[in-house]
Amino acid sequence: VSCKFHTVDGMLKFLDWDWPATGEAFRAAIEADPEDPLCRHWYSLYISTMTGDYTEPMAQSDTIMMLDPSGDFKIGRGSLLYFARRNEELRDLMLETIEDDPSIPWGYDWLGMAYCELEDWDNSLSTYFKAFELSDGLVEVGGGLGHALGLAGEYDLAKQIADHYSVAAEDHYLPQVQRAFIHIGIGEYDEALRLLEEAYEARSWFVIFIGIEPWYDPIRKEPRFQELVDQMNYPSSI
């Protein structure tokens, strides 16, 4: 069976929250083709999500960087640096990514996250506005922008974005997790938790990272949040 088959199988099982089968599929993919960077990237995300330990994921990412000198997986490496809270490295890597191709919104999106975590509000907001423009207002970017605006003290504009998405969500699907980020940024923790509970019931892809997402830190000790993490049933060992 090919590496690509195992990789797609693993991705589908990851989306289905079938944790043991996900690991088996990604390990089979790497065994089928040790030089394929995609399966290693997904395996690194899987390990990070299950364990919160980034030693093996970053080792996998180092291997990916050697296998892919074109730099196509810099954004993927950036996600690991973000989850590992290595924000200076994330900032520098995303600046490289933007220099390589200034037209792609995701480099700006992750750079905005890095600046936000470093509490460099001016750079975070200017970067997020650029990402928002390049992504044509995609909610995945708008959630980050609203979150950063709230933390930067720009409450009124952040609240305006949150209210806009609340109204829009009545007629269109908008990922609840990204909307929750805005409410966390403006201190509306009950609404953020309500949205996360809704996302859990919908088995949203974005909920998978609930155990390691830094932006949940303000609500991490809330009993409702801890209950959500417990309900994910992450394995004690992989």
Side-chain angles (χ1 to χ4, degrees), residues 2-217:
S2 71
C3 171
K4 287 183 173 57
F5 174 89
H6 287 303
T7 300
V8 172
D9 184 41
M11 292 165 66
L12 292 173
K13 287 181 167 59
F14 205 20
L15 288 167
D16 201 36
W17 303 4
D18 187 345
W19 312 133
T22 300
E24 291 174 7
F26 288 144
R27 284 188 287 270
I30 293 173
E31 183 177 352
D33 185 356
E35 296 189 1
D36 183 275
L38 183 62
C39 60
R40 289 184 181 272
H41 167 65
W42 279 97
Y43 186 53
S44 68
L45 281 178
Y46 165 75
I47 298 173
S48 300
T49 306
M50 296 300 104
T51 69
D53 185 331
Y54 302 96
T55 306
E56 174 63 16
M58 291 311 303
Q60 290 287 343
S61 183
D62 290 342
T63 300
I64 290 169
M65 291 300 100
M66 289 187 291
L67 293 171
D68 178 50
S70 68
D72 288 346
F73 282 84
K74 283 183 179 179
I75 297 291
R77 182 177 180 87
S79 66
L80 296 176
L81 293 172
Y82 170 71
F83 288 134
R85 301 168 189 262
R86 291 164 57 172
N87 292 295
E88 291 87 355
E89 294 173 67
L90 172 59
R91 175 198 59 203
D92 295 344
L93 183 61
M94 291 304 100
L95 286 170
E96 288 181 21
T97 302
I98 290 169
E99 185 175 354
D100 292 340
D101 188 346
S103 67
I104 297 177
W106 312 119
Y108 296 94
D109 186 33
W110 287 99
L111 180 60
M113 292 185 200
Y115 282 134
C116 185
E117 287 299 282
L118 295 169
E119 299 185 1
D120 184 346
W121 306 123
D122 288 344
N123 277 320
S124 181
L125 294 183
S126 64
T127 303
Y128 259 124
F129 279 120
K130 183 67 174 178
F132 193 67
E133 174 190 350
L134 289 172
S135 70
D136 294 326
L138 197 66
V139 66
E140 284 83 350
V141 179
L145 172 60
H147 179 85
L149 282 165
L151 293 179
E154 300 290 343
Y155 175 86
D156 289 343
L157 184 51
K159 179 65 172 172
Q160 184 179 340
I161 295 173
D163 290 346
H164 169 76
Y165 285 146
S166 293
V167 173
E170 294 175 3
D171 300 315
H172 303 85
Y173 170 74
L174 296 178
Q176 299 95 335
V177 167
Q178 275 67 31
R179 294 166 55 204
F181 288 149
I182 306 174
H183 291 283
I184 292 171
I186 60 180
E188 295 182 350
Y189 296 157
D190 283 344
E191 178 63 8
L193 286 163
R194 185 193 71 78
L195 285 165
L196 290 175
E197 288 164 349
E198 188 177 305
Y200 173 83
E201 291 300 323
R203 296 182 70 85
S204 168
W205 149 254
F206 300 101
V207 179
I208 289 175
F209 305 103
I210 195 169
I212 58 174
E213 167 60 63
W215 282 0
Y216 294 140
D217 285 356

